[in-house]
Amino acid sequence: MAKKRLQTKAERPQLTEAEIPVVGAREPCPCGSGRRYKACHGRAAAHAVTELVQRPFEGLPSECDWIALRELVPAATAELKLREDLPEDVPSVTLVTVLPMAWPALRRDDGSVLLGLQNDTASGDISRDLADTLQRALTAPPGTPVQGRRAPADGPRLQDLLDPEGPFEPVVHSGFEFWVPDAENATPEVAASLERANAAAIPTVKLEGVDAAYWCETPEKNHLRWVMPHPEERLLDALARLHAAGQSSLGEGTRLVGSFRAHGLTVPVWDLPSEVSAADIEKPAAEFAERLATALAADAPLTADERRARGGLTNRQVTLS
């Protein structure tokens, strides 16, 4: 009898982890295993998508201002400097708080890039999502928006793309005229859209004398919201010491009302009388910064009054992210 020929499967090309693209959960895995993507390499990708990065802006210049522009400031811009030279046809990259239609990014007609910060993201790492959007915006056709997508789990983060020595100097605007190159000569439709957006924006001013502190005006009272870089427990202890000593206010009629967490940092909030402007609060804020530095350096156990003050501050704390 003739010998049976051994049946061998054709060898499949071996793909590295970095070469396996993201596909639909129920589609065959591109690695060639024969299993669905969600049961194969999609497991690691799904974990990366859902895992929350507590401090997505850590390591970037002015981390506190990144958080403020993401959570507090309606209309602001900041020029971004990349580690690598920009493509010849991209004159500049500008971070903006928000873009029309909540676009993640926009490549303008002149080739410049606007990167939107206040957008929903598909993963638990805002930095990775923004980096993916930025990379796609650099090669998008001029005059087109960049749509959102799920960033590759092994893709770069903003910390990989931006110059760590580059300045980050937010400019707060009273409206969204930065959306268009020539707002004064905008079409009626664009002008109407700008008018609606401007009407909804809360007047906001960045203080000049201290870092990452933003005054805002609301119908009933004004507020100061100050993103601070200190570890939460240490900061709450220091605020409690000042509060118990009657030194936590920013002047007559002002009051430290609590704080909230945002992207891994703590943001104390003060109520201000409606007649107190941003200029009025500059000197009191600088003086408070000096008192806070002294309180942060203290290492004695909290007194009973200070513990009660800390408990009150903690009970009024909320988490935004």
Side-chain angles (χ1 to χ4, degrees), residues 163-239:
D163 183 352
E165 304 299 326
F168 186 78
E169 300 173 351
V171 177
V172 179
H173 303 273
S174 59
F176 296 91
E177 282 74 17
F178 58 82
W179 283 352
V180 292
D182 186 6
E184 293 184 357
N185 296 315
T187 64
E189 293 80 5
V190 171
S193 178
L194 281 173
E195 185 176 357
R196 288 193 297 270
N198 291 345
I202 296 174
T204 302
V205 177
K206 185 180 189 298
L207 298 194
E208 298 179 359
V210 295
D211 293 333
Y214 291 80
W215 170 97
C216 68
E217 179 184 4
T218 60
E220 295 184 358
K221 61 184 71 174
N222 299 339
H223 304 279
L224 183 71
R225 299 176 290 186
W226 194 339
V227 187
M228 294 188 171
H230 317 293
E232 179 181 355
E233 296 302 313
R234 187 170 142 220
L235 175 59
L236 289 175
D237 281 352
L239 292 174

Side-chain angles (χ1 to χ4, degrees), residues 13-284:
Q14 298 298 310
L15 299 177
T16 66
E17 293 288 338
E19 293 174 327
I20 298 172
V22 176
V23 299
R26 300 178 66 83
E27 295 181 36
C29 186
C31 76
S33 66
R35 291 182 293 172
R36 290 177 177 174
Y37 179 67
K38 69 176 183 179
C40 193
H41 284 84
R43 289 179 174 176
H47 177 72
V49 166
T50 57
E51 187 175 10
L52 178 64
V53 175
Q54 296 292 338
R55 289 180 63 177
F57 306 116
E58 185 177 15
L60 291 174
S62 303
E63 177 188 7
C64 295
D65 283 312
W66 277 88
I67 293 173
L69 266 58
R70 167 78 181 185
E71 299 295 340
L72 307 179
V73 184
T77 59
E79 295 299 314
L80 297 180
K81 181 174 174 55
L82 275 60
R83 289 179 183 266
E84 306 293 335
D85 292 336
L86 291 174
E88 291 185 0
D89 58 346
V90 180
S92 63
V93 175
T94 303
L95 182 76
V96 303
T97 47
V98 67
L99 284 167
M101 309 296 294
W103 290 326
L106 173 66
R107 181 89 184 275
R108 280 179 160 168
D109 291 333
D110 66 356
S112 61
V113 169
L114 301 182
L115 177 66
L117 182 57
Q118 296 180 12
N119 294 305
D120 292 334
T121 54
S123 81
D125 187 352
I126 297 171
S127 179
R128 195 179 308 279
D129 290 328
L130 288 170
D132 177 69
T133 299
L134 174 56
Q135 285 188 312
R136 290 185 291 124
L138 293 173
T139 58
T144 60
V146 176
Q147 303 300 329
R149 74 169 189 181
R150 185 174 67 184
D154 59 350
R157 307 177 73 238
L158 284 176
Q159 289 82 344
D160 302 316
L161 301 183
L162 300 184
D163 183 352
E165 304 299 326
F168 186 78
E169 300 173 351
V171 177
V172 179
H173 303 273
S174 59
F176 296 91
E177 282 74 17
F178 58 82
W179 283 352
V180 292
D182 186 6
E184 293 184 357
N185 296 315
T187 64
E189 293 80 5
V190 171
S193 178
L194 281 173
E195 185 176 357
R196 288 193 297 270
N198 291 345
I202 296 174
T204 302
V205 177
K206 185 180 189 298
L207 298 194
E208 298 179 359
V210 295
D211 293 333
Y214 291 80
W215 170 97
C216 68
E217 179 184 4
T218 60
E220 295 184 358
K221 61 184 71 174
N222 299 339
H223 304 279
L224 183 71
R225 299 176 290 186
W226 194 339
V227 187
M228 294 188 171
H230 317 293
E232 179 181 355
E233 296 302 313
R234 187 170 142 220
L235 175 59
L236 289 175
D237 281 352
L239 292 174
R241 295 181 195 275
L242 295 177
H243 197 65
Q247 297 180 339
S248 63
S249 76
L250 299 174
E252 185 178 355
T254 70
R255 186 168 67 98
L256 175 64
V257 294
S259 64
F260 58 87
R261 301 183 190 93
H263 307 291
L265 295 183
T266 303
V267 187
V269 179
W270 285 262
D271 278 353
L272 313 173
S274 57
E275 65 272 12
V276 173
S277 67
D280 295 333
I281 213 68
E282 286 279 5
K283 183 179 178 181

Side-chain angles (χ1 to χ4, degrees), residues 278-308:
D280 295 333
I281 213 68
E282 286 279 5
K283 183 179 178 181
E287 293 171 345
F288 177 85
E290 294 179 359
R291 298 197 300 273
L292 180 63
T294 300
L296 286 166
D299 56 6
L302 296 181
T303 66
D305 287 343
E306 290 167 349
R307 289 197 300 272
R308 281 192 292 271

